[in-house]
Amino acid sequence: MKRILLAALGAISLSACAQAPGGGQAPGATASAPVAKPTVAAAQAKAGTPDARAIEAVRVLNPKVKVERVGAAPMPGFREAIVAGQVVYVSDDGRYLFLPGSGGALFDVQAQKNLSEDAMNVVRKQLLQTIPRSERIVFAPTNPKYTVSVFTDVECGYCRKLHSDIAEYNRQGIAIEYLAFPRMGIGSDDYKKMVAVWCAPDRRKALTDAKNGRGPTNASCKTSVNQQYDVGRRAGLTGTPMILTAEGVEVGGYLPPAALRQALDKLAAEQAPVATAKPGA
């Protein structure tokens, strides 16, 4: 949670340069000056006030970031805080924190949960279930401890790095089920290579060859590559590889075998039911 918040607050949006259609000022219109909202420096916030609760909420999630200023938000019931050069919104009771922007998320500060990510986990799980195992390229040990779905691309460097260690992932007890995500888009040369892989009689060999620059470049058959690409987009994929658990939890992009096993072990421990003592024990 704290790592995610730190990354989100420290990130710079690269999509801000694009202007949406119709976003310009209408001809003849006069721009009105923005109304300045009163704020106070974080150090001046009085204890027990919504300002102080907003500052504390940020510090609960990530004590390393600095709250610069805090004040009233444009919507009632929230405070607006400037944190590490970005704007965040915190409910007046300090319970919820919202990070705006393309990678925005809503946090329950008290429960230490990313509510937006929880909702996406449900969506991702449902989306993954639409792709049958027969349409995945599977590299698995005999009795895997964990199974993950990995959206991959034959050209991406980290995808190739991950696949070069496929035997070690299997030794770590992790089954890798590959899904196609040609990052250059439908109809690209990259896409054609991935279609050729999925058309090959031995998909595992074809994928390995393609990641080593020896793969097929052209083939024509009915595949689910388009469907898998669509699922990846709807699952919120922004780069390859993307590693998802069966529950739809995004573990990350590229992770070395031991690090992925550690991450999966941690998730399993967090999701394990808490044992309760029996009466009279």
Side-chain angles (χ1 to χ4, degrees):
M1 174 72 70
K2 293 177 181 178
R3 178 182 60 82
I4 294 173
L5 181 61
L6 178 61
L9 293 178
I12 298 176
S13 173
L14 298 181
S15 61
C17 295
Q19 181 175 339
Q25 182 176 315
T30 302
S32 57
V35 178
K37 297 183 291 294
T39 63
V40 297
Q44 298 174 346
K46 295 181 180 180
T49 64
D51 287 347
R53 287 191 287 270
I55 295 168
E56 179 60 23
V58 173
R59 289 174 177 167
V60 165
L61 292 179
N62 192 333
K64 295 182 179 180
V65 296
K66 179 182 178 181
V67 181
E68 298 165 10
R69 299 193 70 82
V70 64
M75 61 279 201
F78 280 81
R79 310 306 287 174
E80 181 179 272
I82 308 300
V83 185
Q86 294 193 13
V87 177
V88 302
Y89 299 100
V90 183
S91 59
D92 285 346
D93 61 3
R95 175 70 184 270
Y96 299 102
L97 182 148
F98 177 67
L99 293 168
S102 59
L106 178 65
F107 292 88
D108 183 329
V109 177
Q110 181 175 316
Q112 296 266 314
K113 293 184 68 176
N114 183 335
L115 301 180
S116 301
E117 191 65 21
D118 286 351
M120 277 304 300
N121 291 345
V122 175
V123 172
R124 293 188 190 111
K125 179 179 179 179
Q126 294 172 342
L127 288 170
L128 287 175
Q129 291 172 345
T130 66
I131 304 174
R133 196 168 189 270
S134 62
E135 287 302 310
R136 301 162 183 245
I137 300 180
V138 180
F139 292 81
T142 303
N143 295 301
K145 173 73 173 177
Y146 301 109
T147 298
V148 296
S149 297
V150 179
F151 283 93
T152 193
D153 176 274
V154 295
E155 297 289 351
C156 115
Y158 279 110
C159 296
R160 291 183 171 186
K161 171 62 177 170
L162 188 153
H163 192 65
S164 70
D165 291 330
I166 197 69
E168 182 58 29
Y169 286 103
N170 289 171
R171 280 192 289 271
Q172 291 281 346
I174 304 169
I176 304 289
E177 296 189 353
Y178 282 121
L179 301 174
F181 193 86
R183 56 184 181 150
M184 301 307 292
I186 302 298
S188 64
D189 288 341
D190 186 24
Y191 166 82
K192 293 174 183 176
K193 290 179 182 179
M194 300 205 74
V195 168
V197 167
W198 257 257
C199 286
D202 185 343
R203 292 176 179 172
R204 285 162 49 101
K205 181 179 184 302
L207 182 65
T208 299
D209 288 345
K211 286 180 179 289
N212 290 319
R214 304 190 304 267
T217 58
N218 194 19
S220 179
C221 73
K222 184 177 180 180
T223 73
S224 62
V225 170
N226 288 40
Q227 178 201 6
Q228 295 176 46
Y229 178 78
D230 180 61
V231 166
R233 293 180 61 191
R234 292 164 65 190
L237 188 153
T238 57
T240 53
M242 180 191 201
I243 305 173
L244 300 176
T245 70
E247 295 302 312
V249 178
E250 183 179 359
V251 184
Y254 169 76
L255 285 176
L260 179 56
R261 175 59 192 260
Q262 184 179 15
L264 294 171
D265 284 341
K266 182 178 179 181
L267 273 176
E270 291 173 351
Q271 295 168 357
V274 178
T276 55
K278 295 182 180 179

